[in-house]
Amino acid sequence: MGVYPVMGNGNSLHSGSSLDYPQGVQLQITTTNQTINIRNLPSDSYLMVFDASGRNVFKGAVSQSVSIPVRGKGVYIIRAQVGKEILSQKVLVHN
């Protein structure tokens, strides 16, 4: 099991890797038992997670960390608004 963020060059990161974004934001994304875990979110973050069909599976204001249950394996899009920045990451969930 794991989440493998897909980067623009087609490569992927191993589950538990950190992703660096502008302004020093470093998100850690992992999965366990059909749950997406996101850590190191700034306190002013608003998060949305979509499945491959575009259905919103989570949205809300979060700070520090959040665990999001997902229905199964597949591609999910994580969209985080941090201050004025909007960060997006595609992840592949393996069961």
Side-chain angles (χ1 to χ4, degrees), residues 21-23 25 27 44-48 50 77-89:
Y21 289 104
Q23 299 179 1
V25 175
L27 303 182
D44 61 344
S45 299
Y46 186 84
L47 191 68
M48 297 174 74
F50 302 92
I77 306 296
I78 298 169
R79 182 173 183 237
Q81 182 174 349
V82 179
K84 294 182 180 182
E85 297 283 334
I86 297 177
L87 316 170
S88 295
Q89 186 65 50

Side-chain angles (χ1 to χ4, degrees), residues 18 24-28 38-43 45 63-66 82:
S18 297
V25 175
Q26 187 178 55
L27 303 182
Q28 293 179 339
I38 305 170
R39 291 180 179 71
N40 294 338
L41 289 158
S43 60
S45 299
S63 63
Q64 297 299 341
S65 65
V66 64
V82 179

Side-chain angles (χ1 to χ4, degrees), residues 1-42:
M1 286 185 276
V3 172
Y4 302 92
V6 179
M7 302 174 69
N9 61 7
N11 294 331
S12 63
L13 298 173
H14 295 291
S15 179
S17 295
S18 297
L19 302 172
D20 294 319
Y21 289 104
Q23 299 179 1
V25 175
Q26 187 178 55
L27 303 182
Q28 293 179 339
I29 303 171
T30 59
T31 60
T32 56
N33 298 326
Q34 296 186 348
T35 302
I36 297 174
N37 301 298
I38 305 170
R39 291 180 179 71
N40 294 338
L41 289 158

